[in-house]
Amino acid sequence: MDPRLTIIAHRLENVGRLIAVSGGKGGIGKSSTASILSLSLAKMSYRVGLLDLDFYGPSCHLILGIKGVYPEEEKGIIPPEVSGIRFMSIVYYAEDNPLMARGIDISNSIIELLAITRWGKLDFLIIDMPPGIGDTTLDVIRLLKRIEFLVVTTPSKLALETVKKTLEMLKEAKVPIIGVIENMKVKDSPWIRDEIEKLGVMFLEEIDFDTSLEDCVGDREKLLASPFARDINKIFPKLDLI
C-alpha cells in the first residue's frame, strides 16, 4: 500500500468540506466558478483553500491574479494565502510549460500533491477539476472519500450531454452531487433545468452570461463586484454551504 494515501487523510483531517467543481467540457466557466466561489466564501470570513487540479490547463491563478507568492516548504508544502484563500496548483511546479504526462504519471502527481500539501484548518477546500470524467476525476473520487461535486454546464446541448455522463458516473459511484449550475445563460428557457431535474439532481441556479467578466480577470475586487459573483452568491442558501 502506498504510504502517501495515509498521509493524504492526515492532511485533510481538519478540512470541513471538500467540494469539486466539475463539468463535461472545457470553456464552460468551471474555473471561474471555483475561483469566485472560493473568493466569495473567503470574503465571508470562512477559511478556504483552492486546489487547481486541471493539470493540462490550470487557470485559477490567472483568474484570481495570483502572482509573486509561492508555497513554503516546512514538513511538506504550505500553500500561499491570497485574499484569504490558501492556494495550490500544479502551475507552481510545471510553471507555464505544457505538462507531458498521462495515466499513471497524472495519478502519481495527484497523490504527491495531495500528500505534501499542508492545508491546516479549513471550512472549505474547493477543487477545480479538469473537464470530463477521465483519470483525474476517478482518482479524486478514490482518494478523497468525503468529496462532493458541484457541476457546471452551459445552455449548449453538447455541454449538457457530457454533463449527463458526468452525473450518471457520479451517481453510479455513489458520490454526493451538490447540484448543477447553468452558466452563460443568454435566453429565458427552462430546458436545462428540466433536463437536470429529470435526472433527480438539484438544479441550483442560472448564471447570466456576464460580458464584463473578461475585464475582471486578474482583479479580485472587480471579480467580487461582478454580476457573475452576484449570481454565484445566490446559490449559498440552497446548498447548506453556510
Side-chain angles (χ1 to χ4, degrees):
M1 179 178 175
D2 190 333
R4 294 176 299 176
L5 302 184
T6 302
I7 296 173
I8 291 171
H10 174 67
R11 297 296 194 203
L12 298 173
E13 64 185 1
N14 291 316
V15 175
R17 293 181 69 177
L18 305 167
I19 299 176
V21 180
S22 182
K25 295 177 68 66
I28 60 174
K30 171 183 53 61
S31 296
S32 296
T33 299
S35 298
I36 295 177
L37 177 63
S38 300
L39 199 58
S40 295
L41 287 168
K43 185 73 171 180
M44 299 166 69
S45 299
Y46 288 98
R47 294 164 297 193
V48 181
L50 174 60
L51 173 60
D52 191 340
L53 275 188
D54 192 344
F55 277 53
Y56 296 113
S59 59
C60 290
H61 65 294
L62 299 174
I63 294 168
L64 293 175
I66 297 175
K67 53 187 176 182
V69 294
Y70 302 94
E72 297 180 3
E73 292 190 28
E74 185 182 334
K75 298 179 180 179
I77 298 295
I78 301 174
E81 185 168 318
V82 179
S83 295
I85 301 170
R86 298 173 201 171
F87 178 71
M88 180 57 72
S89 169
I90 192 65
V91 77
Y92 284 126
Y93 302 98
E95 298 180 335
D96 292 326
N97 300 313
L99 185 64
M100 305 296 287
R102 61 182 184 181
I104 190 65
D105 295 325
I106 292 291
S107 294
N108 274 323
S109 297
I110 292 171
I111 291 171
E112 187 68 16
L113 196 58
L114 292 172
I116 65 174
T117 305
R118 296 178 56 193
W119 293 105
K121 193 171 182 62
L122 294 177
D123 297 305
F124 301 99
L125 176 57
I126 309 298
I127 304 174
D128 182 28
M129 301 292 294
I133 49 176
D135 288 343
T136 304
T137 301
L138 297 175
D139 281 332
V140 165
I141 292 171
R142 174 173 64 91
L143 296 168
L144 306 181
K145 305 303 182 186
R146 296 184 289 116
I147 195 73
E148 308 168 67
F149 273 71
L150 176 63
V151 181
V152 180
T153 187
T154 66
S156 162
K157 293 181 179 179
L158 297 179
L160 179 63
E161 285 305 310
T162 55
V163 161
K164 283 181 176 179
K165 291 181 175 64
T166 299
L167 294 173
E168 291 296 344
M169 184 274 289
L170 293 172
K171 289 169 70 176
E172 185 173 335
K174 295 182 171 53
V175 176
I177 302 169
I178 295 172
V180 176
I181 293 171
E182 180 185 6
N183 190 25
M184 302 182 188
K185 186 87 171 180
V186 292
K187 63 180 181 180
D188 187 20
S189 169
W191 179 65
I192 295 290
R193 178 189 295 269
D194 292 344
E195 291 297 308
I196 295 302
E197 289 179 347
K198 285 178 187 176
L199 298 173
V201 175
M202 181 181 290
F203 181 86
L204 294 171
E205 191 60 53
E206 299 169 347
I207 298 181
D208 292 334
F209 185 78
D210 184 356
T211 57
S212 70
L213 189 60
E214 186 68 23
D215 293 331
C216 299
V217 167
D219 187 319
R220 294 185 290 277
E221 289 303 316
K222 285 185 178 179
L223 286 170
L224 278 171
S226 68
F228 187 96
R230 176 201 65 206
D231 287 344
I232 285 290
N233 289 345
K234 291 177 183 177
I235 73 175
F236 290 151
K238 305 175 184 178
L239 298 184
D240 194 27
L241 279 182
I242 57 176

